[in-house]
């Protein structure tokens, strides 16, 4: 398998990014959904959401690197089909990238602007602030948009999975193989 992408299939780096991000997003949504459905004290919710901020920070780094890699491989990736269908696929993928970047960014912005120090894995990224140094706009963006955009992204991901299954099971056109075969 090649490192870079080609018009026939995604290469090793794109595949590693795709499946690593998918697994960690599943972890994040699994934690938040089980909190909602089973309650915050349930063992499953506690286990999956205990490291939400750390996993989210790793995701942010992976997603930025993935977006850069997508730009580097622009023009040498599998085509999305002609006409309106091709535009719809491109729009869907663009929305997924935009939300994957916006969701952790909103949370990190809040972590930067609020009173508490932010030190995932013990490494301090943002220092604490005194109450008069709090950046209210940054905390408001996190509080108003992080969770909301995350659920919208969750719905888009379900649509993305449904289309992959449709291509594999009904259309049988080998689309899934470009990323998984
Ligand atoms: C792509 C990565 C991430 C995903 C998919 C994600 C997803 C979510 C979801 C679905 C919720 C539940 C919202 C609700 O209860 O309605 C949530 C809440 C939360 N997340 Fe994240 N998150 C990510 C990254 C982060 C990061 C990096 C941080 C910290 C810097 C963070 C901090 C929080 C906090 C404090 C909450 C609870 C308060 C709130 O709803 O905003 N998340 N996240």
């Amino acid at each position: 398998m090649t490192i870079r992408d080609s018009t026939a299939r995604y290469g090793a780096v794109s595949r590693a990014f795709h499946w690593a991000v998918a697994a960690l997003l599943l972890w994040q949504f699994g934690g938040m959904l089980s909190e909602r459905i089973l309650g915050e004290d349930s063992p499953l919710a506690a286990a999956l959401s205990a490291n939400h901020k750390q996993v989210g920070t790793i995701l942010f780094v992976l997603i930025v690197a993935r977006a850069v890699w997508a730009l580097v491989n622009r023009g040498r990736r599998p085509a999305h089909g002609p006409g309106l269908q091709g535009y719809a696929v491109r729009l869907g993928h663009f929305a997924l990238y935009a939300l994957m970047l916006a969701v952790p960014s909103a949370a990190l912005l809040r972590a930067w602007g609020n009173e508490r120090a932010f030190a995932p894995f013990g490494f301090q990224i943002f220092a604490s602030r005194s109450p008069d140094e709090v950046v209210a706009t940054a905390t408001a963006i996190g509080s108003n948009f992080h969770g909301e955009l995350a659920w919208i992204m969750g719905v888009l991901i379900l649509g993305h999975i449904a289309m992959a299954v449709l291509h594999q099971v009904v259309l049988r056109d080998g689309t899934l193989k470009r990323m998984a075969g």
Side-chain angles (χ1 to χ4, degrees):
M1 188 189 303
T2 53
I3 298 288
R4 291 188 69 179
D5 301 339
S6 73
T7 49
R9 58 174 58 87
Y10 291 95
V13 175
S14 291
R15 287 168 185 235
F17 277 136
H18 180 273
W19 295 111
V21 167
L24 293 179
L25 284 176
L26 184 67
W27 184 280
Q28 294 293 75
F29 281 112
M32 294 298 108
L33 273 176
S34 51
E35 266 190 5
R36 285 282 176 112
I37 297 167
L38 306 171
E40 286 187 15
D41 295 333
S42 79
L44 183 67
L48 291 180
S49 62
N51 294 313
H52 183 86
K53 293 181 183 179
Q54 286 90 333
V55 175
T57 306
I58 294 172
L59 263 169
F60 176 73
V61 174
L62 280 177
I63 290 162
V64 170
R66 184 179 175 187
V68 171
W69 186 249
L71 286 176
V72 169
N73 284 274
R74 220 167 156 219
R76 50 184 300 149
R77 302 192 123 186
H80 293 313
L84 206 59
Q85 186 200 325
Y87 276 118
V89 175
R90 272 195 286 273
L91 188 67
H93 287 175
F94 177 79
L96 275 172
Y97 269 98
L99 285 167
M100 283 193 299
L101 288 168
V103 167
S105 298
L108 289 168
L109 200 61
R110 175 174 58 192
W112 167 76
N114 70 18
E115 280 183 53
R116 289 181 302 280
F118 184 60
F121 307 107
F123 296 105
Q124 180 168 299
I125 299 181
F126 304 129
S128 59
R129 294 172 182 272
S130 61
D132 56 315
E133 285 174 335
V134 165
V135 186
T137 318
T139 58
I141 287 174
S143 300
N144 290 317
F145 292 107
H146 175 62
E148 285 70 7
L149 290 182
W151 293 124
I152 294 173
M153 177 167 80
V155 172
L156 272 189
I157 291 172
L158 287 181
H160 179 72
I161 296 169
M163 290 313 291
V165 170
L166 181 84
H167 278 281
Q168 180 69 10
V169 177
V170 181
L171 305 174
R172 296 170 192 260
D173 57 7
T175 299
L176 190 61
K177 267 191 177 169
R178 296 162 167 186
M179 190 56 96

